[in-house]
Structures are given as C-alpha cells and as structure tokens.
C-alpha cells in the first residue's frame, strides 16, 4: 500500500477520533457548573481530542504533499509450461497407481517402468497423459 494512502487514512481516523473526544469533552463540561468539576473532562477528553485533530490534519496534509508515484508494473505472468508429449505407450511403475507418458520425468530412464496396458490408473499430474 502506498505511503500516501496510509498517511491519509491514518489522518482521517485520528481526526475522527479527535472530533469524538472533543464532542464528549464539551458535553461533559457543559453539564458541570463549577470549574473544578470541569477539569477532568478537559484533561481526559478535550485536550487529547484537540491533539488528535491536529495530528490528523498534519497527516492528511503530509499525504497531500507526497508525490504520487505511478503504480509499479506487475511481473508478467509465468508462461505455462507445455505438457510433455510423446507417441509411445503409457507407462507405470510396478504397483503404481498413475499412468505416465514415456517422457514423463517421473518414469523417464527407469528400467522398472512397464507398459500400463489395461490397468485402471489415474493420470499423472505432471505429464497429464490424457485430457481430464
């Protein structure tokens, strides 16, 4: 997320919190007749609310002053690797449950690989010997 957006939303949140605190402080002070009973509202709501309002204004101004950068280009999507293909018969390993193309890296060069024949086998997820 760009820095200017973070500053903007932080400033807006601080200003909103400051406005709420200031309103609560004013409401509390307005209900008290004596100054000594108004001080707790001043200390706990009005002063922190004013500070948050100032901080929010500074953050929003900082967000407005930051230069706008163009978005960074996203990396190109990875090219889909072509499926291995060969014209030979499907292979399997003894006691295996997957059918493989002869050039599949899971069976290529393995002497124990045998032809699949009529066995009920699932397609290999690497070489995908037949369409799903």
């Amino acid at each position: 997320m760009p820095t200017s957006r973070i500053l903007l939303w932080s400033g807006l949140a601080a200003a909103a919190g400051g406005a709420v605190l200031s309103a609560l402080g004013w409401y509390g002070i307005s209900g008290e007749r004596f100054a000594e009973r108004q001080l707790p509202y001043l200390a706990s709501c009005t002063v922190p609310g004013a500070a948050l309002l100032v901080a929010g204004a500074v953050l929003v101004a900082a967000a407005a002053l930051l230069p706008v950068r163009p978005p960074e280009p996203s990396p190109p999507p990875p090219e889909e690797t072509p499926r291995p293909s060969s014209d030979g018969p499907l292979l399997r390993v003894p006691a295996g449950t997957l059918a493989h193309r002869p050039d599949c890296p899971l069976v290529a060069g393995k002497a124990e690989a045998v032809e699949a024949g009529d066995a009920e086998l699932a397609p290999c997820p690497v070489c995908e010997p037949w369409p799903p």
Side-chain angles (χ1 to χ4, degrees), residues 73-122:
S74 60
E79 294 182 15
E80 190 174 315
T81 56
R83 293 186 347 194
S85 63
S86 63
D87 297 327
L90 297 179
L91 300 176
R92 68 181 176 99
V93 292
T97 59
L98 299 176
H100 303 272
R101 293 176 186 255
D103 58 350
C104 178
L106 299 177
V107 295
K110 294 192 177 178
E112 65 268 10
V114 295
E115 286 191 26
D118 294 334
E120 294 284 328
L121 301 171

Side-chain angles (χ1 to χ4, degrees), residues 29-47:
I29 288 173
S30 68
E32 296 296 336
R33 182 172 172 194
F34 300 108
E36 25 325 307
R37 296 180 82 184
Q38 293 175 353
L39 284 176
Y41 293 106
L42 250 160
S44 64
C45 291
T46 307
V47 172

Side-chain angles (χ1 to χ4, degrees), residues 12-72:
L12 291 175
V20 168
L21 281 177
S22 295
L24 287 173
W26 175 82
Y27 182 74
I29 288 173
S30 68
E32 296 296 336
R33 182 172 172 194
F34 300 108
E36 25 325 307
R37 296 180 82 184
Q38 293 175 353
L39 284 176
Y41 293 106
L42 250 160
S44 64
C45 291
T46 307
V47 172
L52 280 174
L53 281 170
V54 170
V58 168
L59 289 172
V60 169
L65 293 177
L66 278 178
V68 177
R69 288 186 304 162
E72 296 179 13

